[in-house]
Amino acid sequence: MNKKLHERYDYIFEPELLKAIEMVAVARHISKGETVIDIGQPITKMPLLLTGAIKVLREDAQGDELLVYFLEKGDSCAMTFSCCLGNKKSEIRAVAETDSELLMIPVEKMQEWMGRFHTWRNFVLDSYHIRMMELLETVDTLAFMKMDERLLKYLQDKAKVNQDDTVHTTHRDIATDMHTSRVVVSRLLKKLEGEGKLIVQRNRLKILEL
């Protein structure tokens, strides 16, 4: 834990904060597809992502999901910060996109470190800003992009967080993340393939336009 903590956060956090994290953080390994935080779950710990990638989802009244954004190594989730500071239950579902390693920090340290460490305060505020920009990008995507453009962007983002131009997924999983039907996804994938933007293979897609 010590080595990866310093690899990811030495340039962000002061030495005293790194020591404080080492004293209280619990290391956790999350397998691909495993839920890290679920909707309605009480927030007792806040995650820092050391390796891997996590997708953050919202759910509507019917139980259908919509992908909000991805978290990559070095990130944390602003929605989790908000729930921690307000002693609320989680309003999002976080699922491991790849095998990932996290540091789980007790929520009671949140406010203490906000006043004690300026680098922690800056990290939290920067995280809020970055996630807000990603939320606005998600809104713009939903409001202004055609469905095929949304699908291509989703696949490009997925390829980037996985650091692999071949995305291993199914049409049904894509449909779930994008809050649409499998039939629509299949039709649009054929269209994008015909335009030379990707290659459709069994349970995987090679993205040609990144």
Side-chain angles (χ1 to χ4, degrees), residues 42 74 142 157 169 203 205-206:
L142 291 169
D157 289 346
T169 188
N203 292 339
L205 304 160
K206 184 173 179 62

Side-chain angles (χ1 to χ4, degrees), residues 175-192:
T176 297
D177 280 354
M178 295 191 63
H179 204 336
T180 187
S181 72
R182 184 183 59 78
V183 173
V184 169
V185 168
S186 297
R187 175 172 56 80
L188 292 177
L189 286 174
K190 286 182 181 179
K191 178 177 182 291
L192 291 170

Side-chain angles (χ1 to χ4, degrees), residues 42-105:
I43 302 295
T44 60
K45 290 183 172 61
M46 189 212 72
L48 290 178
L49 186 56
L50 293 178
T51 66
I54 291 173
K55 61 182 179 182
V56 176
L57 306 151
R58 285 280 286 163
E59 187 177 88
D60 65 16
Q62 287 71 47
D64 294 323
E65 294 177 333
L66 176 66
L67 176 67
V68 182
Y69 51 70
F70 288 102
L71 298 175
E72 300 179 74
K73 58 188 178 183
D75 286 344
S76 192
C77 181
M79 291 186 179
T80 305
F81 286 144
S82 178
C83 292
C84 287
L85 294 173
N87 294 316
K88 299 175 183 177
K89 294 182 179 180
S90 175
E91 297 176 357
I92 56 95
R93 175 174 295 119
V95 178
E97 175 70 14
T98 66
D99 290 350
S100 304
E101 293 178 272
L102 308 170
L103 289 181
M104 306 302 291
I105 298 174

Side-chain angles (χ1 to χ4, degrees), residues 2 4-22 25 46-50 73-76 81 103 105 109-110 113-114 116-127:
N2 189 299
K4 289 179 179 176
L5 171 64
H6 285 271
E7 284 175 353
R8 297 288 172 255
Y9 295 101
D10 255 359
Y11 69 100
I12 298 176
F13 298 150
E14 61 227 82
E16 293 79 6
L17 175 54
L18 290 168
K19 290 178 183 177
I21 292 172
E22 288 177 333
M46 189 212 72
L48 290 178
L49 186 56
L50 293 178
K73 58 188 178 183
D75 286 344
S76 192
F81 286 144
L103 289 181
I105 298 174
K109 294 297 178 181
M110 288 286 300
W113 290 353
M114 285 285 284
R116 185 177 166 195
F117 300 111
H118 75 276
T119 56
W120 179 258
R121 183 169 59 252
N122 291 342
F123 174 70
V124 171
L125 294 176
D126 286 346
S127 295

